[in-house]
Amino acid sequence: MRQPFSILLVLIFLASWAKAQTLLVPDRVFDGMELHTDWVVAVQGNKIVYAGPETGLSRKASYQRKHLQGMTLMPGLIEGHSHLLLHPYNETDWNDQVLKESSAERAIRGAVHAKASLLAGITTMRDLGSEGAGYTDVYLKKTIEEGIIPGPRLLVAGPAIVATGAYGPKGFHEGVTVPLGAVPVSGRDAAIQEVRNQMGNGADLIKIYADYRWKTGEPSQPTFLQEEIDAMVAAATTAGRYVVAHASTPEGMRRAILGGVETIEHGDGGTMEIFQLMKEKNVAFCPTIAAGDATEQYKGWNKEKEPDTDRIVQKKKSFRLALQSGVDIVFGGDVGVFTHGENYRELELMVAYGMEPKKALQSATSVNARVFHLNGLGKIEAGFLADIIAVEGDPTKHIQQMRNVRFVMKDGVVYKSE
């Protein structure tokens, strides 16, 4: 009889552990919209079951208290534009990453990057293109979901889609065939076929390049015809997916918006007319400020001592116009161009370029959850998933506090507690 009794005790222990209740007690709570003092947050399993003043919580004695003194509790951050399979271009330029690093090496790097992102408070991430590594991002997502490696929950785009001849690596004579950073297509039928192929291989969304440089050193130009964009969006939305567009020229942005994409990535050349059209069509804007800031520094720009480069001047201008237009602004830094785990750089630059800290934090939590159709994420609210982080101080006053993530819980599991 001893063995069954022992098994019973184990089962009782596991059942009680599965129903473990934790009460998080910080100095303040940013709930995804507003800041509150004297709030606590109760977690049971992988769900938030209460958020509010402790006086409103019943059965307080049943909770294990976790004090987060001096900290602000908030929803886990939702990174809107990343490339887990890339690493900073000042380490290895993009061409060499695509041409010389195997998919196996890049997958291992991606696992390291995923862990760094999670520990920096990124509990959910859109990965917008494997950049020459096929469907490695799909399998990176799978290993995270199966608990093999730690990382954010992922929304992945697979290889992305470009117009034939527009993407790189480039610079080789016509007799040399090189792997490309995305899948090229031409024509309506081929575009539809590739969208379906990518969805069939596990892409959660489709990324297209609405404009790009046809030759190295040239300014970007529109790539896809309107009918091609329309067809790709129709093929994706029919299957319950959506399309995002790399676009930096007004015409490329316009075609993508009219075609029905859900977010515009980069948008450096955006005008007030274009941003107003985005707002009218309910298309969100992901400015990726930190990537441009990083690449200009890689080229030798000393941002502390030298005037803004032309690219930075234009970026500041387009971001101000976006703010004035009232379009939804997505937090997403194009991380991978710069170091994974330093996602805070985008938040700091959003504020430096004119956004209020609280609005930037909303962008990284509740706004991104809404724009990306992530029900049950992005807020500290009863019934929502327990994706929760804590940072030192008050980031609604000093956005730099987002560098100091001390507590990370994803899906009710604690990955960091300092």
Side-chain angles (χ1 to χ4, degrees):
M1 295 295 293
R2 288 183 180 180
Q3 187 173 1
F5 182 73
S6 298
I7 292 172
L8 179 61
L9 286 177
V10 170
L11 291 175
I12 292 171
F13 170 77
L14 289 175
S16 63
W17 177 82
K19 296 180 180 179
Q21 295 177 313
T22 303
L23 187 64
L24 301 171
V25 187
D27 279 18
R28 61 197 73 81
V29 174
F30 174 72
D31 66 2
M33 294 296 294
E34 301 294 339
L35 189 72
H36 308 273
T37 55
D38 299 321
W39 267 34
V40 296
V41 176
V43 174
Q44 183 171 347
N46 71 337
K47 292 287 184 70
I48 298 169
V49 295
Y50 178 80
E54 188 170 349
T55 53
L57 177 65
S58 60
R59 297 185 294 107
K60 286 176 277 191
S62 65
Y63 290 88
Q64 181 177 355
R65 300 173 74 91
K66 169 69 175 176
H67 289 276
L68 298 164
Q69 189 172 2
M71 298 186 196
T72 297
L73 198 73
M74 60 186 296
L77 301 183
I78 302 171
E79 168 65 58
H81 190 131
S82 69
H83 296 282
L84 281 171
L85 302 173
L86 292 177
H87 57 104
Y89 296 174
N90 63 336
E91 297 175 0
T92 306
D93 68 30
W94 183 84
N95 270 20
D96 282 350
Q97 292 188 47
V98 174
L99 295 174
K100 297 180 179 179
E101 296 178 358
S102 70
S103 292
E105 176 186 345
R106 295 180 68 187
I108 294 168
R109 288 183 180 274
V112 174
H113 299 157
K115 180 179 180 181
S117 301
L118 180 61
L119 296 182
I122 306 298
T123 54
T124 302
M125 174 181 283
R126 282 200 317 182
D127 197 74
L128 296 188
S130 63
E131 303 292 325
Y135 293 93
T136 303
D137 55 349
V138 172
Y139 294 101
L140 188 61
K141 173 185 176 178
K142 182 174 182 285
T143 58
I144 292 171
E145 290 178 344
E146 292 179 354
I148 298 169
I149 62 170
R153 60 172 49 79
L154 296 182
L155 301 170
V156 298
I161 303 175
V162 295
T164 301
Y167 210 51
K170 289 191 173 184
F172 304 88
H173 69 72
E174 73 281 2
V176 177
T177 300
V178 300
L180 296 178
V183 178
V185 300
S186 281
R188 182 178 181 277
D189 291 346
I192 291 173
Q193 181 178 351
E194 183 55 32
V195 167
R196 290 173 175 164
N197 182 58
Q198 294 196 6
M199 292 188 298
N201 278 297
D204 299 307
L205 63 145
I206 300 298
K207 180 185 178 182
I208 67 171
Y209 283 74
D211 51 32
Y212 208 72
R213 302 176 296 275
W214 289 99
K215 289 184 179 179
T216 303
E218 285 187 350
S220 290
Q221 299 288 347
T223 51
F224 287 117
L225 301 177
Q226 188 69 61
E227 65 184 45
E228 293 172 314
I229 295 176
D230 293 349
M232 288 188 284
V233 171
T237 55
T238 296
R241 306 294 196 274
Y242 65 91
V243 179
V244 308
H246 167 116
S248 60
T249 65
E251 179 59 18
M253 294 172 72
R254 187 185 70 83
R255 292 183 192 180
I257 296 161
L258 295 178
V261 306
E262 294 205 358
T263 65
I264 294 289
E265 312 297 314
H266 312 303
D268 293 25
T271 64
M272 179 57 77
E273 179 184 7
I274 289 294
F275 288 124
Q276 288 175 339
L277 181 63
M278 290 174 66
K279 184 171 176 58
E280 176 189 338
K281 300 293 185 180
N282 198 31
V283 177
F285 175 47
C286 184
T288 65
I289 304 169
D293 181 85
T295 54
E296 291 300 279
Q297 291 186 73
Y298 298 160
K299 295 174 185 176
W301 174 50
N302 186 330
K303 64 181 295 183
E304 304 301 328
K305 297 180 180 179
E306 297 176 357
D308 290 342
T309 65
D310 290 345
R311 181 176 183 180
I312 298 299
V313 169
Q314 181 59 41
K315 197 69 166 179
K316 288 182 176 180
K317 177 182 177 182
S318 63
F319 189 72
R320 284 194 298 268
L321 291 174
L323 285 174
Q324 292 168 19
S325 74
V327 68
D328 279 331
I329 294 180
V330 165
F331 161 71
D334 208 354
V335 61
V337 175
F338 59 98
T339 304
H340 290 279
E342 295 184 1
N343 309 67
Y344 59 79
R345 290 164 65 166
E346 183 74 8
L347 288 169
E348 291 180 5
L349 286 166
M350 291 165 79
V351 172
Y353 285 19
M355 199 173 199
E356 297 176 10
K358 187 171 77 171
K359 293 290 186 182
L361 294 173
Q362 290 172 354
S363 172
T365 54
S366 58
V367 172
N368 275 8
R370 171 171 53 80
V371 171
F372 303 161
H373 312 285
L374 298 170
N375 296 327
L377 289 173
K379 292 183 181 180
I380 301 293
E381 184 176 314
F384 276 54
L385 287 175
D387 279 19
I388 303 170
I389 66 172
V391 303
E392 291 182 4
D394 183 354
T396 67
K397 294 180 179 177
H398 304 288
I399 198 67
Q400 292 80 5
Q401 294 299 129
M402 295 307 300
R403 297 182 179 214
N404 304 314
V405 175
R406 300 298 180 225
F407 177 85
V408 176
M409 173 185 283
K410 175 197 159 196
D411 207 32
V413 177
V414 176
Y415 289 89
K416 183 177 185 179
S417 183
E418 295 179 349

